[in-house]
Amino acid sequence: MMILFCLQHQWILCILVVQIGRPHMEAIQEVEMNNEEIVLEEKAKIGKRDTTEMNPRDFRPAPVEVLDYVKINIEPETPISTLRCIMTSKPNLSFSKEELRKVEEQMKKAFVEFYQKLRLLKRYSSLNVLAFSKIMKKYDKISSRKASKSYLEVIEKSYLRSSDEVLKLMEGVEVTFIKHFVDGNRKKGMKYLRPQAQRETHRVTFLLGLFSGCSLALVAAIAVSIRAGTLLENENRGQYMENIFPLYSLFGFVVLHIVMYGANIYYWRRFRVNYPFIFGFKQGTELGYRQVLLLASGLSLLALAAALYHLDMDIDPKTQSFQTLTELTPLALVIILLIVTFLPLNIIYRSSRFFFIKCVWRCLLAPLYKVTLPDFFLADQLTSQVQAIRSLQFYVCYYGWGNFTERSNTCQESKIYPILYIFLAIIPFWSRFIQCLRRVFEEKDLMQGFNSLKYLSTIVALVMRTLYDQKRGTFWRVMAASTSGITTVGNTYWDLVIDWGLLQRNSKNPWLRDKLLVPYKTVYFVAIVLNIILRLVWMQLVLDFQQLPFLHRRAFIAIVACLEILRRGMWNFFRLENEHLNNVGKYRASKSVPLPFNYDEDKSM
């Protein structure tokens, strides 16, 4: 009951803002007062409040009548609740231990978020008092008058300064949380309520430099090996490109995407985009750009070392008998990568790995889960990794159906492989399509309906381009070109106008938007041009640019895939910048946490 009592008092946050006193200030005797004393006094008061022991008896118990207005929350947010909502209209009041554990986690998150709101409101009050004192000090300096003390005395008597409702609520939340969720352990409870920001260490920077330097050295070693072994003129060059290159290109796509994400984090921090809040990262667990680049450099080091080992085993005549061991090198690297990703031990950023796995799972099971921003943002990232998904399919074919000991495969001869080649590629787009449909039904947002049509047209264009690549012919070329042209126009418009919020004719910044975080407007126009150009890379297929004599087909496909990853990395920055500005513009400084119950306020009025 105490829990319900604390949560139902969130309305006080709004009342505190609107009830700030406005005393008459016409006849005030002006006397000087130092604003630094105000700051020290404020810090002393807050510190005194935080260090004192709290007694639960000081707080009123929640009224029993509050339970009459509480109902079980049956919003379809998980697969079970979604299916239950579809199958029956009656709520199921029986709970398993697992469901009760999830309810407890929801309550914890709600308490932490409510406590953060109270802290923000307290800081708002202190910051305004400090700002007023600084303004008065500046006024005294310019006008040579001594008005600070008299004006600040009025501020001290105002509701903004004298009210202690926020501090009482903070103490109540602390006592309730410590008593009911951490078994009276105050240190553990305050660690939940006031998480510390993650500190970057010199070890991360050192390892980042070490791995990056080793990766560059391995790239040079691979180039020397290819040149010394005259592999480019070797008669088995085509066989290597068709069978081995797709296996290692998978790691190149993943590393490039991680590097772009690390660059995004660097610029988000530089231009003060609150990406941890937007993504919903738990405070203290979000990765900085150095940690992300460390993961990319570590993976590139493993992949390049494996590729160099593979080349060395091929070139050296003494190791020709170890053909099976050589060909299993890429597969072993993939297994290691999967083991590290799903490793339950608290190493290698476990919270971030599990957050990623959770988001991937929710994307695969769309629309059974409630759609959140991390879910559809990750699904958008996967739409730019179509070639990586196809590389995973090639792994299964090469090691499952093909004769990898002789470096040959019969994937294209199978009737199932071309179908899977199309089906697996459209999974990310289909996930986004289903997510948009669920948001249409839940949020009643018509724009999400148009967004779903955009992804549906992308699926049709992708299927047509793949069929043209497999069958050729004038008919399939016309179908691929027409469908790709239509979806390119729609996707480009959505990128620039909806996702980035640009091309607004009546804005303060012509053809951009009113608020910009990057001080150089040229950056936005360059990004617009690059996005349009990179959206047209599909034309290389219908115009047969891939038939260039000096470049192998597999290498050209990899280059095109890398260009799409670069475009997605650029899109990420401006997409989150626009999301951040929308949050600021709509004063969304806090997030809503779903609760396992609903409180009917109308009945309590």
Side-chain angles (χ1 to χ4, degrees):
M1 291 186 294
M2 179 64 74
I3 296 174
L4 300 177
F5 175 73
C6 289
L7 292 178
Q8 71 174 342
H9 279 76
Q10 295 189 36
W11 57 271
I12 294 180
L13 298 176
C14 299
I15 295 178
L16 285 176
V17 177
V18 299
Q19 286 187 349
I20 295 176
R22 299 176 182 174
H24 192 64
M25 302 179 66
E26 292 182 355
I28 297 180
Q29 184 179 359
E30 299 178 353
V31 185
E32 182 180 10
M33 183 177 182
N34 192 355
N35 65 319
E36 277 74 9
E37 297 176 1
I38 300 293
V39 180
L40 294 175
E41 181 184 355
E42 179 66 25
K43 290 183 178 179
K45 287 183 178 181
I46 297 176
K48 186 177 180 180
R49 283 279 188 179
D50 292 340
T51 54
T52 55
E53 288 293 332
M54 295 165 292
N55 188 357
R57 298 179 181 178
D58 297 337
F59 304 101
R60 294 181 302 169
V64 180
E65 291 79 7
V66 73
L67 297 177
D68 297 333
Y69 309 107
V70 175
K71 295 182 179 179
I72 299 297
N73 186 6
I74 55 172
E75 291 185 2
E77 298 179 353
T78 62
I80 297 177
S81 60
T82 301
L83 295 175
R84 184 182 297 167
C85 183
I86 296 174
M87 299 297 293
T88 178
S89 59
K90 296 181 179 179
N92 187 3
L93 298 180
S94 61
F95 293 92
S96 63
K97 291 184 178 180
E98 182 66 20
E99 289 174 329
L100 290 176
R101 187 189 63 80
K102 291 181 179 180
V103 166
E104 184 179 0
E105 288 297 324
Q106 282 184 310
M107 296 297 295
K108 279 186 179 181
K109 291 180 181 179
F111 265 97
V112 172
E113 186 60 29
F114 181 46
Y115 190 78
Q116 295 302 321
K117 290 179 183 179
L118 294 174
R119 293 183 67 190
L120 286 174
L121 189 58
K122 182 58 186 173
R123 291 173 186 172
Y124 168 82
S125 172
S126 303
L127 185 63
N128 276 273
V129 174
L130 177 61
F132 194 87
S133 65
K134 287 185 176 294
I135 292 173
M136 293 307 303
K137 181 178 180 180
K138 189 70 173 180
Y139 171 76
D140 290 346
K141 184 177 180 180
I142 295 177
S143 63
S144 299
R145 304 174 68 181
K146 298 180 179 180
S148 300
K149 184 174 182 180
S150 299
Y151 280 89
L152 290 176
E153 284 178 354
V154 177
I155 296 296
E156 286 292 324
K157 298 176 183 179
S158 67
Y159 193 81
L160 176 68
R161 184 69 171 170
S162 61
S163 175
D164 59 348
E165 287 292 331
V166 176
L167 289 175
K168 288 181 179 179
L169 280 173
M170 291 176 66
E171 292 173 355
V173 172
E174 291 174 4
V175 169
T176 306
F177 188 86
I178 293 171
K179 177 181 179 181
H180 293 282
F181 292 103
V182 292
D183 298 327
N185 190 334
R186 177 174 175 78
K187 182 178 180 180
K188 184 178 179 180
M190 297 308 297
K191 186 177 180 181
Y192 269 104
L193 294 174
R194 296 187 179 185
Q196 299 294 325
Q198 188 179 24
R199 296 181 179 179
E200 296 185 355
T201 61
H202 295 291
R203 180 177 59 184
V204 174
T205 306
F206 171 77
L207 292 177
L208 173 60
L210 177 64
F211 291 168
S212 301
C214 292
S215 299
L216 293 176
L218 288 174
V219 170
I222 291 174
V224 171
S225 298
I226 294 175
R227 184 67 178 176
T230 64
L231 299 181
L232 295 177
E233 293 80 17
N234 194 292
E235 58 181 5
N236 294 325
R237 170 177 174 264
Q239 187 184 26
Y240 187 91
M241 294 297 296
E242 289 291 340
N243 295 278
I244 304 303
F245 182 80
L247 302 178
Y248 286 106
S249 61
L250 168 66
F251 303 101
F253 300 144
V254 175
V255 168
L256 180 60
H257 211 132
I258 298 176
V259 169
M260 292 302 298
Y261 179 64
N264 288 146
I265 291 178
Y266 173 79
Y267 285 106
W268 286 333
R269 285 190 172 182
R270 180 177 178 181
F271 296 106
R272 299 183 183 277
V273 176
N274 194 3
Y275 73 95
F277 171 77
I278 295 175
F279 286 134
F281 294 145
K282 184 179 179 182
Q283 186 175 353
T285 63
E286 70 274 9
L287 298 183
Y289 70 93
R290 289 188 179 89
Q291 287 90 344
V292 174
L293 294 179
L294 176 62
L295 294 175
S297 61
L299 180 57
S300 66
L301 179 62
L302 290 175
L304 291 171
L308 181 61
Y309 167 78
H310 204 140
L311 283 175
D312 183 66
M313 295 285 283
D314 276 345
I315 296 174
D316 194 350
K318 298 180 180 179
T319 58
Q320 292 293 332
S321 59
F322 301 103
Q323 187 69 23
T324 301
L325 181 62
T326 303
E327 297 301 312
L328 287 175
T329 303
L331 180 61
L333 191 58
V334 169
I335 294 175
I336 292 174
L337 180 60
L338 292 176
I339 291 175
V340 171
T341 303
F342 292 94
L343 191 66
L345 300 180
N346 191 16
I347 57 175
I348 315 180
Y349 311 120
R350 182 181 64 177
S351 60
S352 298
R353 288 189 286 111
F354 282 13
F355 185 87
F356 171 76
I357 294 171
K358 179 182 177 182
C359 290
V360 172
W361 180 251
R362 294 169 68 97
C363 291
L364 293 176
L365 292 185
L368 297 180
Y369 282 101
K370 185 178 179 66
V371 182
T372 60
L373 189 142
D375 298 336
F376 70 74
F377 194 86
L378 178 60
D380 279 326
Q381 308 307 304
L382 296 178
T383 60
S384 295
Q385 285 287 0
V386 171
Q387 202 55 46
I389 296 174
R390 286 174 169 171
S391 295
L392 285 174
Q393 178 189 358
F394 185 77
Y395 266 90
V396 177
C397 175
Y398 185 68
Y399 289 104
W401 300 340
N403 188 1
F404 65 89
T405 57
E406 297 181 2
R407 192 171 291 176
S408 63
N409 70 86
T410 58
C411 298
Q412 301 300 331
E413 299 176 4
S414 174
K415 296 181 180 180
I416 301 177
Y417 186 84
I419 298 175
L420 293 176
Y421 195 75
I422 298 175
F423 175 76
L424 293 177
I426 68 175
I427 288 178
F429 300 97
W430 179 258
S431 176
R432 285 294 291 122
F433 172 71
I434 296 297
Q435 287 176 345
C436 292
L437 290 182
R438 169 147 185 171
R439 294 185 66 183
V440 170
F441 288 107
E442 283 190 345
E443 303 173 10
K444 309 300 181 183
D445 187 0
L446 187 59
M447 290 300 294
Q448 291 301 322
F450 292 117
N451 199 16
S452 65
L453 293 178
K454 182 194 73 172
Y455 286 103
L456 184 61
S457 66
T458 306
I459 292 174
V460 175
L462 179 61
V463 171
M464 291 301 170
R465 288 200 301 266
T466 306
L467 290 175
Y468 169 68
D469 187 35
Q470 294 175 352
K471 298 182 178 182
R472 297 295 171 171
T474 305
F475 172 77
W476 294 112
R477 173 180 288 190
V478 172
M479 293 298 296
S482 58
T483 54
S484 298
I486 293 173
T487 193
T488 298
V489 173
N491 288 338
T492 303
Y493 171 82
W494 199 275
D495 286 345
L496 303 180
V497 179
I498 307 300
D499 290 337
W500 293 2
L502 303 178
L503 299 184
Q504 299 180 9
R505 291 185 298 176
N506 299 325
S507 66
K508 298 178 182 179
N509 304 298
W511 296 105
L512 297 178
R513 62 171 112 87
D514 291 339
K515 295 182 180 180
L516 303 173
L517 294 182
V518 181
Y520 309 105
K521 299 179 183 179
T522 308
V523 173
Y524 293 92
F525 292 106
V526 172
I528 291 173
V529 175
L530 287 178
N531 186 76
I532 295 174
I533 294 174
L534 294 176
R535 276 288 187 186
L536 296 173
V537 295
W538 58 266
M539 295 181 64
Q540 53 83 22
L541 178 64
V542 297
L543 297 179
D544 290 333
F545 287 164
Q546 60 182 358
Q547 302 298 330
L548 297 176
F550 58 88
L551 196 62
H552 194 273
R553 184 178 65 92
R554 289 286 187 180
F556 193 84
I557 292 175
I559 292 175
V560 172
C562 291
L563 291 177
E564 170 60 21
I565 295 173
L566 293 174
R567 188 199 67 81
R568 180 60 63 181
M570 180 181 65
W571 179 90
N572 289 342
F573 174 79
F574 296 104
R575 174 65 180 87
L576 225 65
E577 179 202 24
N578 191 36
E579 184 72 22
H580 172 82
L581 293 175
N582 287 335
N583 283 339
V584 173
K586 297 179 181 179
Y587 306 102
R588 291 185 292 183
S590 59
K591 59 185 177 183
S592 59
V593 179
L595 296 175
F597 59 84
N598 290 325
Y599 182 74
D600 193 348
E601 297 180 358
D602 295 335
K603 294 183 180 180
S604 61
M605 295 295 291

